[in-house]
Amino acid sequence: MSTFSTDRIDTSESLLIIILEALEAHGVKSEEYQLYDEIDVEALERVILSSSTSIKISFTVCDLRLAIKMENSEIYIEKIGCKDS
């Protein structure tokens, strides 16, 4: 699991970079996908940062299932499996 401080999440570009880094860390190469065809990073950021409670949102990119969760003012990104699992 990768942990990122919410201080780093101040623009959608920051969240975008964090998601790209997580995908790369799990072996998904950038030439394999167009992220904006898979998820709306700006909407994801708004939902996560506006939540007053713990929240977890999962999504799939190139058959890799990831989850972004906000808990105790920290944002976590974790691999939760593959598309068919």
Side-chain angles (χ1 to χ4, degrees):
M1 181 182 326
S2 304
T3 305
F4 302 94
S5 168
T6 54
D7 293 339
R8 189 169 171 199
I9 309 294
D10 57 349
T11 67
S12 59
E13 182 179 36
S14 294
L15 183 57
L16 173 64
I17 291 168
I18 289 170
I19 292 170
L20 294 175
E21 289 172 351
L23 289 168
E24 184 178 323
H26 291 293
V28 180
K29 300 196 182 329
S30 61
E31 60 270 3
E32 295 178 29
Y33 63 92
Q34 293 291 321
L35 190 60
Y36 283 101
D37 289 341
E38 308 289 337
I39 61 172
D40 183 335
V41 177
E42 293 168 356
L44 181 62
E45 177 187 51
R46 284 192 303 271
V47 169
I48 289 171
L49 295 179
S50 67
S51 176
S52 60
T53 61
S54 294
I55 185 171
K56 182 175 183 177
I57 300 171
S58 62
F59 57 93
T60 303
V61 177
C62 286
D63 295 334
L64 178 68
R65 291 178 60 214
L66 294 175
I68 294 182
K69 114 177 131 169
M70 176 113 147
E71 195 171 82
N72 299 323
S73 298
E74 293 288 321
I75 290 185
Y76 302 92
I77 299 180
E78 61 184 336
K79 178 180 175 184
I80 57 174
C82 295
K83 187 177 181 180
D84 296 329
S85 60

